[in-house]
C-alpha cells in the first residue's frame, strides 16, 4: 500500500521535483528542468512515476501541461510512520520495564 510511494520517493531526482512542486505553484516541464543537467525526457519520466503514485498531478492550461504537488499520499505516509513510531515506543517501554524488573 505504501511501498510504491516510498519507492517513488527513493530517487534523489524525484525528491528534488517534489520539493520544487511543494512550494505551491504548478510548474511546466521546462521550468522543472531549469537548473538541472537533466533532459526534458528524463524529467517527464520522473514526473510520470510521481504521478503514478498520486504525489503529482498534471493540469492542462492551454497547450501546456503543468504539474502540481498533491500532499495526500505524503500525509498518508506521515500517518503510517507515526503509527509505526508509536508501536516502537510502546515496545521499547515494555522492554525497559522488563529489564528494570529483572533485578
Amino acid at each position: 500500500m505504501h511501498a510504491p510511494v516510498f519507492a517513488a520517493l527513493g530517487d534523489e531526482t524525484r525528491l528534488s521535483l517534489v520539493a520544487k512542486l511543494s512550494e505551491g505553484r504548478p510548474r511546466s516541464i521546462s521550468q522543472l528542468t531549469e537548473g538541472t543537467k537533466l533532459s526534458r525526457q528524463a524529467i517527464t519520466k520522473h514526473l510520470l512515476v510521481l504521478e503514478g503514485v498520486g504525489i503529482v498531478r498534471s493540469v492542462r492550461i492551454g497547450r501546456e501541461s503543468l504539474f502540481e504537488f498533491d500532499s495526500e499520499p505524503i500525509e498518508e505516509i506521515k500517518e503510517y510512520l507515526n503509527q509505526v513510531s508509536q508501536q516502537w515506543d510502546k515496545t521499547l517501554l515494555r522492554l525497559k520495564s522488563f529489564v528494570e524488573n529483572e533485578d
Side-chain angles (χ1 to χ4, degrees):
M1 179 168 131
H2 299 296
V5 176
F6 281 117
L9 294 174
D11 180 271
E12 188 176 323
T13 300
R14 290 193 284 270
L15 279 175
S16 173
L17 290 170
V18 168
K20 287 179 183 179
L21 291 170
S22 67
E23 293 173 358
R25 63 182 170 96
R27 296 185 187 201
S28 67
I29 292 172
S30 51
Q31 290 171 322
L32 291 167
T33 305
E34 287 175 14
T36 72
K37 295 179 181 179
L38 297 171
S39 68
R40 291 171 53 94
Q41 283 181 325
I43 294 292
T44 301
K45 178 183 140 196
H46 288 293
L47 287 169
L48 290 174
V49 171
L50 293 170
E51 191 172 30
V53 296
I55 296 172
V56 167
R57 66 176 163 254
S58 62
V59 179
R60 196 102 172 127
I61 298 180
R63 296 183 337 182
E64 191 170 43
S65 287
L66 298 179
F67 291 84
E68 61 186 7
F69 175 68
D70 184 349
S71 65
E72 187 176 327
I74 302 296
E75 292 299 324
E76 290 174 8
I77 291 291
K78 195 167 125 183
E79 197 174 298
Y80 169 74
L81 291 174
N82 283 336
Q83 289 174 358
V84 170
S85 177
Q86 288 173 5
Q87 289 172 345
W88 271 103
D89 288 346
K90 289 176 186 176
T91 300
L92 290 173
L93 282 174
R94 284 195 310 270
L95 177 62
K96 180 182 177 191
S97 175
F98 175 78
V99 169
E100 288 174 348
N101 290 327
E102 279 290 304
D103 296 335

